[in-house]
Amino acid sequence: MITAEWKPIEEMVGYLRGHKKVLLIGCATCVAECAAGGEREVETLAPLLAMAMQNDGNPIEITSATLERQCEPEFVATIADQAADADAIVSVSCGIGMQLVADTYADTPLFPGVNTTSLSIREEPGLWTSRCAACGDCVLGLTFGLCPVARCAKSLMNGPCGGTRENGMCEINEDTPCIWRLIVERATARGQLESLVEVKPPKNWSNSPAGGPKRMLREDLRS
Ligand code: SF4
Ligand code: SF4
């Protein structure tokens, strides 16, 4: 899922000064799963934001909605009346959903209520950890299903780096397992450790986010 975290309320207050009618919108999918932007969080944030604006000397009228998916045009279309009545929109969806709303209601300023942080799984209640960085050239087949791009602090293709702690954690973060230690362990368990001795060729990064905006075209789906 895509994870996100609330921005500080003070930052939202800074955005909203001068606005009077605010529409707060959430998304019932990924950001609901990570408890940042679902219906419950929208219902919690709306009065907090109203109170913070009141205390700032800039009272606002706030309405809210939680869309099934803020990244799909048909769901975004359902808030047309509320958007037309607002002079600012705050979205607590991921950055994808935010931009679709900003494009759809381009005359109304949109402000982010969250920071989009990662593509993660929920490892245990209250803990999400990265699994993918959308690098555009998946190497999981070479690394025993463990992603060194998103899960190694240095995105090493030929690890480990030599800094792995004695307890197997990453030298950069003591709370994060060295993913290359896990790769080695899985390779060993499968009797394929030798496959890691061969130095992997340079990875193709041209399809990664660093290569510029992506455009995926599927002719078979366009008719
Ligand atoms: S190798 Fe790339 S596409 Fe595959 S899981 Fe890692 S970041 Fe995602
Ligand atoms: S200790 Fe492991 S996970 Fe951390 S940077 Fe080095 S190879 Fe990557």
Side-chain angles (χ1 to χ4, degrees), residues 21-40:
K21 298 180 87 173
V22 174
L23 171 60
L24 173 65
I25 48 173
C27 174
T29 313
C30 298
V31 288
E33 287 297 315
C34 67
E39 188 169 14
R40 191 175 49 187

Side-chain angles (χ1 to χ4, degrees), residues 59-98:
I60 57 170
E61 183 185 320
I62 189 161
T63 56
S64 63
T66 302
L67 307 184
E68 192 62 31
R69 282 200 298 280
Q70 214 177 116
C71 56
E72 296 283 349
E74 56 267 41
F75 294 112
V76 172
T78 64
I79 56 166
D81 290 345
Q82 284 173 283
D85 196 42
D87 66 20
I89 298 172
V90 174
S91 170
V92 286
S93 84
C94 72
I96 304 163
M98 285 185 204

Side-chain angles (χ1 to χ4, degrees), residues 64-182:
S64 63
T66 302
L67 307 184
E68 192 62 31
R69 282 200 298 280
Q70 214 177 116
C71 56
E72 296 283 349
E74 56 267 41
F75 294 112
V76 172
T78 64
I79 56 166
D81 290 345
Q82 284 173 283
D85 196 42
D87 66 20
I89 298 172
V90 174
S91 170
V92 286
S93 84
C94 72
I96 304 163
M98 285 185 204
Q99 289 180 67
L100 181 58
V101 171
D103 289 349
T104 306
Y105 305 111
D107 291 340
T108 306
L110 178 139
F111 302 106
V114 295
N115 295 316
T116 303
T117 49
S118 66
L119 303 177
S120 291
I121 64 161
R122 186 168 64 92
E123 228 176 271
E124 55 188 65
L127 175 65
W128 292 265
T129 55
S130 292
R131 286 295 182 274
C132 178
C135 76
D137 178 30
C138 194
V139 298
L140 288 180
L142 302 174
T143 55
F144 297 86
L146 296 154
C147 176
V149 180
R151 301 177 69 185
C152 169
K154 299 165 188 168
S155 294
L156 294 179
M157 289 299 111
N158 295 280
C161 66
T164 314
R165 296 172 195 246
E166 283 187 11
N167 64 0
M169 306 305 269
C170 174
E171 68 170 347
I172 303 295
N173 185 340
E174 64 183 0
D175 296 322
T176 302
C178 167
I179 196 62
W180 273 103
R181 188 254 305 172
L182 297 182

